[in-house]
Amino acid sequence: MRRHWCCCLLPAASAEDTADDKKQNDTEFLIGQGAYGSVVKKRDEDDEKSVVAVKRVRFSAQALREVQLLRTAQGHPNIVRFRRAVVHPQEVEVVMHFEGDETLVQLLERWRPPSETRLRMQRDVTSALAYLHERHIGHFDVKLDNVAVDEAHHVRLLDFGLAHPFRDDTPLDGMRGTRAYACPEMCDERPYYATDADAWSLAVVCFAIEFGHFPFREASARCLNYWLFRKVCLRKDPCEAIAAIYPDAAWTQAVHSQLCETRRKLLSCTLRPDGERASPRDLMRDVFGASETKP
């Protein structure tokens, strides 16, 4: 069988990437840095026995909203645990429990989890999103990099920097999140709903957990609508969609043999056009058979 595992997940790490966990000073380790701020790993000042992740961002209404929504989202075992926020005149510090040394993208680059673990990860990320949507919170940046994995391979959804309240009957516009995970209607600059946007990103994450690569060869803005939409969304069976993208007979046969009914339903219900896409709440009820989203 042709090996696809993680071959097109991410480009090879640079020297700067591999030094992400470098020591900043005597007490802190830098574990993430981006346009909006940085995240460090350190001992908790209020409890030196515990380790926390501290996100530092510029003071803004968006930063204060992140704190508020993170507080509202507490209580689910697959969502990052909030400890406190410290607001300075120019900066906001969000103190959270340190959830693990790896994200899903790092884990999948080095190891393919067994089938049972993959299914549990898919269910847990779905459950976390369903929990948020019940509280009318859209995450808008669901991706492999924003899912932490601990030593027991339990997952937690991270980074509420782009999270925003939503109304079920109010469409949104504008680009949010990461293009590789963006729904086709968002990339095509059409109105979209928060649950649809998060559901598509969830489908990309679940697909990558299962197969080790994205459900398309490229992540450019326009290929999603004109190529991926026709190749994937218009096919009822996810195996047919995968076969259209990866026509190698041996690979296609392996996909058919690997997908259990739960995974088949999960992918076929989410890699769909807007208006036909199942929400995370629908998936928990109809695919995973859970009556509640808080395990």
Side-chain angles (χ1 to χ4, degrees):
M1 185 182 91
R2 193 169 63 187
R3 185 168 177 80
H4 288 273
W5 184 250
C6 286
C7 61
C8 46
L9 209 74
L10 282 179
S14 66
E16 290 86 355
D17 294 331
T18 56
D20 254 358
D21 202 18
K22 61 190 177 188
K23 197 170 185 179
Q24 272 202 309
N25 54 45
D26 290 339
T27 59
E28 298 181 354
F29 292 84
L30 181 67
I31 58 176
Q33 191 162 16
Y36 296 103
S38 62
V39 183
V40 297
K41 172 184 175 182
K42 60 181 292 187
R43 292 285 177 185
D44 192 351
E45 294 173 0
D46 292 348
D47 178 11
E48 291 195 357
K49 293 183 178 179
S50 61
V51 178
V52 295
V54 180
K55 181 178 181 179
R56 296 180 176 131
V57 294
R58 291 188 296 273
F59 180 91
S60 65
Q62 180 176 322
L64 297 179
R65 182 173 59 238
E66 176 179 1
V67 172
Q68 179 185 2
L69 295 180
L70 194 50
R71 281 197 178 109
T72 304
Q74 293 305 288
H76 193 281
N78 302 112
I79 291 177
V80 61
R81 287 168 284 182
F82 173 80
R83 294 213 171 180
R84 63 185 177 276
V86 183
V87 180
H88 303 286
Q90 302 296 325
E91 183 181 68
V92 176
E93 290 187 339
V94 186
V95 183
M96 300 159 286
H97 187 88
F98 181 70
E99 303 294 1
D101 285 313
E102 283 189 311
T103 62
L104 265 181
V105 71
Q106 294 165 325
L107 178 76
L108 296 176
E109 281 180 329
R110 67 171 180 81
W111 180 60
R112 186 182 189 189
S115 176
E116 182 179 342
T117 302
R118 297 197 306 272
L119 190 60
R120 173 167 52 81
M121 289 176 169
Q122 292 163 340
R123 179 196 182 280
D124 288 350
V125 178
T126 303
S127 179
L129 269 181
Y131 183 84
L132 291 180
H133 289 177
E134 286 178 350
R135 286 148 184 79
H136 292 90
I137 299 172
H139 189 279
F140 295 111
D141 202 17
V142 179
K143 57 183 180 180
L144 297 172
D145 314 66
N146 284 342
V147 181
V149 187
D150 66 16
E151 294 180 353
H153 304 129
H154 295 120
V155 297
R156 286 185 185 265
L157 187 61
L158 308 173
D159 198 347
F160 282 62
L162 297 181
H164 203 284
F166 70 86
R167 291 172 57 96
D168 289 326
D169 59 352
T170 304
L172 306 170
D173 57 26
M175 187 68 196
R176 300 169 190 248
T178 304
R179 281 198 178 273
Y181 299 83
C183 58
E185 58 267 31
M186 185 186 293
C187 290
D188 199 33
E189 300 179 355
R190 292 186 283 117
Y192 58 89
Y193 290 92
T195 53
D196 278 350
D198 278 350
W200 181 275
S201 302
L202 171 67
V204 176
V205 167
C206 289
F207 191 104
I209 290 172
E210 190 62 33
F211 299 110
H213 53 75
F214 291 127
F216 38 85
R217 291 189 184 279
E218 300 176 9
S220 63
R222 289 295 171 183
C223 81
L224 286 171
N225 188 48
Y226 297 108
W227 189 83
L228 172 64
F229 187 81
R230 287 168 174 76
K231 288 286 189 180
V232 176
C233 286
L234 300 184
R235 298 171 186 266
K236 294 289 186 183
D237 189 328
C239 289
E240 292 182 8
I242 298 165
I245 302 170
Y246 299 98
D248 177 87
W251 168 245
T252 304
Q253 185 177 5
V255 167
H256 275 273
S257 64
Q258 288 177 18
L259 275 182
C260 67
E261 183 62 24
T262 300
R263 292 179 172 92
R264 190 180 297 270
K265 287 175 65 177
L266 173 64
L267 296 178
S268 62
C269 289
T270 48
L271 289 174
R272 301 296 303 152
D274 49 313
E276 300 179 22
R277 201 172 302 146
S279 71
R281 286 177 284 181
D282 294 335
L283 295 172
M284 288 305 297
R285 182 188 65 242
D286 301 334
V287 176
F288 293 107
S291 59
E292 299 180 357
T293 55
K294 181 180 177 182

